[in-house]
Structure formats: C-alpha cells, structure tokens
Amino acid sequence: MILPVGNAQNKINFSADKSSKELEYSHDTLLKNNLSTRTKIQADKLTNAITVYPAKGFKGSKNANFYEFLTMGTVPYLIGSGTLMAVFNAANKYYSPFQKTMAGKYGNKLALGVLFYGIMKNFSKSFISKPIKLLTGIDTEMPYAKVIYELPDDINDTDITSIEHHKVFESVEFPRWDLLYGDEAKGEKRNFRYDKIANKLGMGENLKDSDQEVKPRIKEIVVKSSLAKNISSYFWAACGVALAVQEPWEKYFKVMTFKFWKGKEFMKSLKSFGSSFTESVEAFWKGEGKGLKKHAGKILFGAAVLSSVLGVINTMSSSKTPSKIDSADVIKKSDRYVVD
C-alpha cells in the first residue's frame, strides 16, 4: 500500500512564542458538515473579508494569498446586491404618491428576488451532494480547517498563524486524501472511510488497499457532481427569482417590518410572510394567461428538478468498473519474463 508522504494529523506548531493565544486547531482538521459548521465558516469568512484581509492588502502584507482574495469577493457581491435592492426605494421621496407606490412594489420584489436567488443557488447544491453521499458515502462538500503558518511582519510579531476553511475535494488534482485516513491512535482503522466508500460503490469488502482502489472513482464522482451542481443551481436560482415576483407578496410588503422589538407588528409580519409565500408558490405553479405563459412556472420548476435528477444519474454512472481479471489470467508461470 502506498502511504502519503506527510500526515496532516501530526501536531506540529511553529508558533514563534509559546505564550501566544492558543490555536483553535493545532493541525489541519476535518470538520462535520452540518448547519452549525457551515454557518460558523460563512460568518468567519465574512468577518475576515471585511476586516482582516483588506487590512493585510492595504499594508502590502507578504502573507496575503489567493484564498483571501477570493474570500473578499463576497463583499462587492453583498454591496452590489444591497445597491440593487435600494435602487428603487432610495429615490421614493422624489416621486408622486402613485409613483412611490409602484416603485416601492417593484423595489421590494427586486430585493426579495436577490435574496431568493442567493438562497436557492446555494441551497440547491445539496440536491446533488446529499443523494451522492447517501449512495456512495462520498461527501463532496466535506469541509476542513487549514492551519497556515505565516511569516512575521515585524520582529515583535508572535501571532503568526491563521485558519482557512477549505473543502477536501476543492482541488480535483490534489484532494486532501491524507485527511480521510483514520487516526490509529484513537483506535480508528486506517482505511475505514475508504472501506465504507468501496462497499457502497460495490467494489467489495475487506479490500487490501481500498484507498488506492476507490481514489480514481472518487475523483470522477467529484468532477461530475461539480458540473451537476453548477448547472442545476442556476435553474433553482431562476425558480427563486420567479417566486419573488409573484403578486401575493404585495400583501406582505404592506405589513412588512423587521422591528422585532415591536412584538405584535413583527409577529403579524411573520404570519403574513408565511401566507404570502404559500400563495406565491401556488401562483407560480398555476401561472396566468394562456399557452406557454400559463405553464412557464411548471416548465421552469420541471427543468430544475430534471437537472438535479439527471445530474445525480450522470454522477453515478461510470465506466470505471472493477476488473474481473485475476493476475493468474495474465501471467503464465510457465513462461519466462525479462524486466528492463
């Protein structure tokens, strides 16, 4: 069995000062892929994108990297979305009463459309990843915390570590295979994760080198599922936008409030949101008018569902099936062989 060159579970700390603050993680660590972890990761990324990473850029820090550049990309997205949402409502005071009502209605729907677009685009990826994990045991969205040891910016700098959040399979060429091996010190079997995947994929049980057997198949699944998620997410995002422009939302906009300290008004707003959402789903499905226009919602929703279903089917299909040929069928012991 071919072993990885380095094991990320070795607890090595290159901190310049032992008295510096204790790290949340002492080595690259797999994280549970649940709502709590995902929320924490997104909050951490957003906070750093607004505070830490821009500060490093302004200072010209030698520790600034591509991960930080990509993470900061969420900031202009949020600012642009906020500007788009405010473009109608910000100028309301200059309009006549009728124009103000119309502008407010479209502005609120536009804001809701931006919100639903982002929610559906990200949430819909689970329509691919969850079935794939159930069928194969492969979590294509598995997160991990990466410990970065930075260069000191000055002689008194002792806090030279930072944490980045990545996904095990974000690089198809170089997945973090080492993180999937079990910790034998904790009583875990070294290949227990690979054994489970091999079993789910029908490649057999108790394989001698299950990690080497399943790695090519895992790569294929990661590539196919990534394509499926990219395609289907835009169909689901379009469904979110279409849902946001339905007429029943206008009832909610009349009582909408985010002032949670005003109990009765806020509860009325929440109740109205729920009823408006239900009515909007019905309106989206039933449609208006005649012909294609009436069935546009059904067609869009059907395309979104179909893209997810076909994406899962394509991901599960593979030409990489286990070989049924034994070495005895290839090598004849009676013949002589020369190795150059």
Side-chain angles (χ1 to χ4, degrees):
M1 179 172 66
I2 301 174
L3 300 179
V5 175
N7 191 337
Q9 295 185 3
N10 292 333
K11 298 183 178 181
I12 302 175
N13 194 332
F14 295 105
S15 178
D17 186 355
K18 292 183 180 179
S19 63
S20 61
K21 67 178 183 180
E22 184 179 351
L23 287 175
E24 185 177 2
Y25 305 101
S26 60
H27 58 279
D28 293 359
T29 307
L30 275 179
L31 303 176
K32 293 182 179 179
N33 187 7
N34 53 35
L35 181 60
S36 176
T37 301
R38 291 193 295 270
T39 302
K40 182 179 178 181
I41 289 174
Q42 292 304 319
D44 181 72
K45 282 186 172 183
L46 182 59
T47 301
N48 288 332
I50 296 173
T51 57
V52 178
Y53 299 158
K56 292 173 70 174
F58 283 126
K59 291 191 301 182
S61 173
K62 53 195 168 192
N63 293 306
N65 57 34
F66 193 57
Y67 169 84
E68 296 174 0
F69 168 76
L70 292 177
T71 303
M72 285 191 291
T74 58
V75 177
Y77 175 82
L78 292 175
I79 294 175
S81 298
T83 303
L84 186 62
M85 288 188 281
V87 70
F88 282 89
N89 296 332
N92 270 358
K93 60 182 180 181
Y94 301 108
Y95 299 152
S96 66
F98 176 75
Q99 292 174 328
K100 183 177 181 179
T101 301
M102 297 301 293
K105 181 176 68 174
Y106 287 111
N108 288 330
K109 285 186 177 181
L110 187 61
L112 200 62
V114 171
L115 180 64
F116 282 3
Y117 175 90
I119 291 174
M120 293 302 296
K121 188 174 183 294
N122 288 281
F123 182 76
S124 63
K125 293 179 181 180
S126 63
F127 298 158
I128 302 292
S129 60
K130 294 297 183 182
I132 293 301
K133 182 180 179 181
L134 182 64
L135 294 169
T136 67
I138 302 169
D139 186 356
T140 58
E141 299 289 327
M142 185 182 298
Y144 75 94
K146 182 178 180 64
V147 179
I148 303 296
Y149 300 100
E150 301 180 337
L151 297 171
D153 288 321
D154 58 68
I155 194 171
N156 297 316
D157 190 3
T158 59
D159 184 15
I160 58 172
T161 55
S162 64
I163 302 296
E164 295 180 359
H165 292 99
H166 294 269
K167 294 180 181 178
V168 172
F169 300 112
E170 69 182 14
S171 171
V172 178
E173 294 85 0
F174 304 103
R176 289 299 304 268
W177 300 120
D178 56 307
L179 295 177
L180 298 181
Y181 288 102
D183 188 351
E184 295 177 351
K186 296 180 180 179
E188 296 175 343
K189 187 178 178 183
R190 179 172 177 76
N191 281 354
F192 80 95
R193 290 189 179 92
Y194 294 106
D195 290 340
K196 288 180 179 179
I197 294 172
N199 188 26
K200 287 242 183 187
L201 292 175
M203 301 177 71
E205 299 180 7
N206 301 317
L207 298 178
K208 185 178 181 180
D209 296 314
S210 59
D211 55 340
Q212 303 304 318
E213 293 285 345
V214 302
K215 282 178 180 179
R217 184 73 175 98
I218 291 176
K219 276 192 173 185
E220 182 186 22
I221 288 172
V222 169
V223 172
K224 287 185 174 182
S225 65
S226 295
L227 175 64
K229 283 183 281 190
N230 286 334
I231 293 175
S232 67
S233 65
Y234 285 102
F235 280 104
W236 286 108
C239 287
V241 174
L243 180 64
V245 299
Q246 300 303 314
E247 187 175 345
W249 285 113
E250 295 176 18
K251 299 177 184 177
Y252 167 66
F253 296 145
K254 292 178 181 179
V255 297
M256 178 179 63
T257 181
F258 300 106
K259 299 177 181 179
F260 58 88
W261 56 89
K262 294 185 177 181
K264 290 184 179 180
E265 293 181 14
F266 185 69
M267 291 305 298
K268 183 179 179 181
S269 175
L270 287 180
K271 186 177 179 180
S272 178
F273 179 88
S275 60
S276 295
F277 180 83
T278 303
E279 292 174 13
S280 294
V281 170
E282 294 177 358
F284 169 72
W285 180 256
K286 292 179 180 179
E288 297 178 352
K290 297 181 180 180
L292 185 63
K293 183 179 178 181
K294 181 175 180 59
H295 300 288
K298 297 184 182 70
I299 294 171
L300 180 57
F301 179 75
V305 172
L306 189 63
S307 66
S308 295
V309 172
L310 292 179
V312 173
I313 293 174
N314 180 62
T315 301
M316 292 302 300
S317 64
S318 176
S319 57
K320 293 182 173 62
T321 54
S323 176
K324 301 298 182 181
I325 301 177
D326 188 76
S327 60
D329 300 323
V330 179
I331 300 175
K332 296 181 180 179
K333 296 181 180 180
S334 59
D335 293 344
R336 293 183 177 181
Y337 297 91
V338 178
V339 179
D340 294 330

